[in-house]
Amino acid sequence: MSLVSFTHVISFGATQSGGTLSWISTQSLAVPGGIDINDRNGDGNLDGTGSGGDFLEGNSFFSGFYYEAQNGKTYAIFIGAYGNGYRIPYNAADYDLAEEMNGPGSTSLFQLTDFEPTGNPVCFLPGTLIATPNGEVAVETLAIGYLVTTADGRAVPVRWVGRQTLSTLFGPPERLMPVRVRQGALGEGLPRRDLTLTADHALLVDDLLINAGALVNGGSIDWVPLSELGARFTVYHVETEDHDLILAEGAPAETFIDYVGRQVFDNYAEYVALYGEERIITEAPYPRISTPRLLPPALKARLGIGKAA
């Protein structure tokens, strides 16, 4: 059973010492038609090592090692069945891993099962309508310099739009899954359309910044089934000068706050080219709630979150 297919493979010789895998040089090759990771036991996860574990086409077995790239993502490392070198499959269109690994390197990341990506995504899904002085526009069409409308009526410029590609093939935990807030689920007709965002992205409800995952009630606010998302999906985050509240489908939603490093975004290099370095953003002065048990009882009752307590 194939888990996922990749367009390129990085090959290299390496030595292992004290739990660290080290290499001197690497070579990247395009694979016509793609190359697959195969799920030997059919559990939908990348796990096991050696001849009994999941494997990469071409007789390479999962080594248990991962490489953490500068974009914040982790890449599984496979070893040839006869000890003939290591391989990392990747998609060149998503990130130029070959350029980053062009030279000596090492990794000590080792885990026998799926490695959880660093940094939780805090973003909107494509198609989310964001209010601007000229009307609502889809979040993926925003660009640096565009004006967006805040919950208190100001027009503020977009400083950057972070873009992150997520995979569903290894069964992400709830914190990586999107949440769908149905039209009107928050009260007073909000959101005006169904709003889909990642679980750690906060909405302003009753003067509280509440992560979407904490609002799940199993009905009008619920997790999005992975079957709806395909093998990969893309999410977008809007950064303004401050930690603002913009209107997403009419509902107040936070802009980027650097709880999550910008390195996790696919277009981080664009940010560095524009601004040169990371900056710290002061959080807006609202209490933040990230778990249902901390929600006020009246709000839980109003939104029907009793079963999620």
Side-chain angles (χ1 to χ4, degrees), residues 8 24 38 99 104 156 190 196 223-224 258 270 289-291:
H8 289 67
I24 301 299
N38 287 276
E99 181 175 352
V156 298
L190 297 178
T196 308
W223 306 108
V224 176
D258 48 352
E270 175 191 55
I289 294 178
S290 58
T291 177

Side-chain angles (χ1 to χ4, degrees), residues 16-197:
Q16 185 176 341
S17 175
T20 298
L21 192 69
S22 304
W23 55 88
I24 301 299
S25 62
T26 65
Q27 180 182 16
S28 176
L29 297 173
V31 183
I35 186 168
D36 293 343
I37 293 177
N38 287 276
D39 183 10
R40 187 180 297 276
N41 59 7
D43 65 354
N45 297 303
L46 178 62
D47 48 28
T49 59
S51 59
D54 296 335
F55 64 97
L56 182 69
E57 280 184 313
N59 216 20
S60 294
F61 302 121
F62 178 46
S63 70
F65 280 100
Y66 291 82
Y67 175 75
E68 183 176 0
Q70 294 173 9
N71 65 350
K73 295 184 179 180
T74 50
Y75 295 83
I77 301 177
F78 295 80
I79 184 171
Y82 305 104
N84 57 339
Y86 292 82
R87 297 173 180 85
I88 300 179
Y90 71 104
N91 287 308
D94 295 339
Y95 184 69
D96 192 354
L97 187 63
E99 181 175 352
E100 177 179 327
M101 294 186 66
N102 184 23
S106 64
T107 181
S108 57
L109 290 178
F110 185 88
Q111 188 165 310
L112 295 179
T113 55
D114 297 338
F115 190 88
E116 291 187 358
T118 55
N120 302 356
V122 185
C123 310
F124 301 108
L125 268 72
T128 300
L129 295 182
I130 305 297
T132 79
N134 297 316
E136 294 179 314
V137 300
V139 64
E140 65 270 26
T141 67
L142 288 174
I144 295 170
Y146 282 33
L147 295 178
V148 292
T149 303
T150 65
D152 59 4
R154 293 176 295 119
V156 298
V158 172
R159 198 171 191 270
W160 187 58
V161 178
R163 184 184 68 254
Q164 186 176 6
T165 303
L166 302 172
S167 172
T168 65
L169 292 177
F170 299 150
E174 284 183 351
R175 65 181 177 79
L176 301 183
M177 290 173 62
V179 172
R180 179 182 289 118
V181 184
R182 296 288 186 183
Q183 179 182 3
L186 300 177
E188 299 182 355
L190 297 178
R192 289 199 287 264
R193 293 194 325 160
D194 288 359
L195 169 62
T196 308
L197 66 173

Side-chain angles (χ1 to χ4, degrees), residues 175-261:
R175 65 181 177 79
L176 301 183
M177 290 173 62
V179 172
R180 179 182 289 118
V181 184
R182 296 288 186 183
Q183 179 182 3
L186 300 177
E188 299 182 355
L190 297 178
R192 289 199 287 264
R193 293 194 325 160
D194 288 359
L195 169 62
T196 308
L197 66 173
T198 50
D200 283 349
H201 199 146
L203 299 169
L204 187 70
V205 183
D206 292 356
D207 287 328
L208 300 170
L209 273 177
I210 306 175
N211 289 7
L215 294 169
V216 168
N217 60 17
S220 60
I221 306 173
D222 208 355
W223 306 108
V224 176
L226 295 182
S227 59
E228 293 186 16
L229 300 171
R232 292 182 178 84
F233 65 100
T234 303
V235 293
Y236 300 84
H237 211 341
V238 180
E239 180 173 342
T240 56
E241 185 65 27
D242 301 309
H243 184 214
D244 287 310
L245 292 166
I246 57 177
L247 300 174
E249 307 295 357
E254 66 179 336
T255 57
F256 179 80
I257 181 73
D258 48 352
Y259 289 146
V260 176

Side-chain angles (χ1 to χ4, degrees), residues 276-293:
E277 59 183 15
E278 298 264 359
R279 70 185 182 105
I280 297 174
I281 301 175
T282 301
E283 187 172 14
Y286 297 98
R288 179 179 290 269
I289 294 178
S290 58
T291 177
R293 65 182 178 82

